[in-house]
Amino acid sequence: MYLVAIAWMYVVLLMAAAEATSPQGTVLGAVFTFVLYGALPLSIVMYLLGTPGRRAARRQADAAARASATTTATTPASSPASEASSTSTSPSPSAAASAPAMESAIAAPSDAPPDSDQSIDDAATAAPAEPPSSTPSSPADAAPRRDD
């Protein structure tokens, strides 16, 4: 895919060089040739061809976020009562090591990108906006109209 893009940009660069060096051509014409025949169409095509890869990466990130959310939801946390009943006054190394891990596990689902279908569903079920207030914004709006 990239080989075709590089070859096309080479052809467009040669077209722009021919436009710039031609007796009837101009440098401005060469710039427009490069942009309109090369950079703009190629950027659109490369964006469209990259869509499946971006979609797969987003799905993989969503799956990883769901897996980490499921893992943290099923892992039991130690209760404060059990920590208070321990006989040692210094915190155990395993408890100190697990505290940062729990903080990062709790923050992980919020770091995940929102699911596009979910945001559409949320927008459809959201409460309707309040109607504008009936308070007039200017004194001319407050005065009653007469049609004489």
Side-chain angles (χ1 to χ4, degrees):
M1 177 169 74
Y2 293 115
L3 182 61
V4 173
I6 292 168
W8 180 248
M9 288 307 291
Y10 176 73
V11 169
V12 171
L13 183 65
L14 290 179
M15 289 171 53
E19 175 76 24
T21 58
S22 171
Q24 290 88 16
T26 61
V27 175
L28 182 63
V31 169
F32 276 111
T33 298
F34 184 78
V35 170
L36 296 178
Y37 280 108
L40 183 66
L42 190 62
S43 64
I44 292 170
V45 168
M46 295 302 288
Y47 177 79
L48 293 175
L49 291 177
T51 299
R54 288 190 309 274
R55 184 178 299 142
R58 187 175 57 231
R59 285 182 181 161
Q60 186 178 12
D62 289 344
R66 282 191 210 107
S68 67
T70 305
T71 304
T72 58
T74 59
T75 305
S78 61
S79 66
S82 65
E83 289 178 5
S85 66
S86 67
T87 57
S88 122
T89 57
S90 65
S92 66
S94 63
S98 67
M102 289 300 290
E103 290 174 6
S104 65
I106 291 171
S110 65
D111 295 340
D115 186 14
S116 61
D117 295 336
Q118 182 66 29
S119 62
I120 291 170
D121 292 341
D122 289 345
T125 59
E130 293 182 21
S133 65
S134 61
T135 314
S137 59
S138 69
D141 292 338
R145 290 187 178 182
R146 287 207 233 174
D147 295 327
D148 290 328

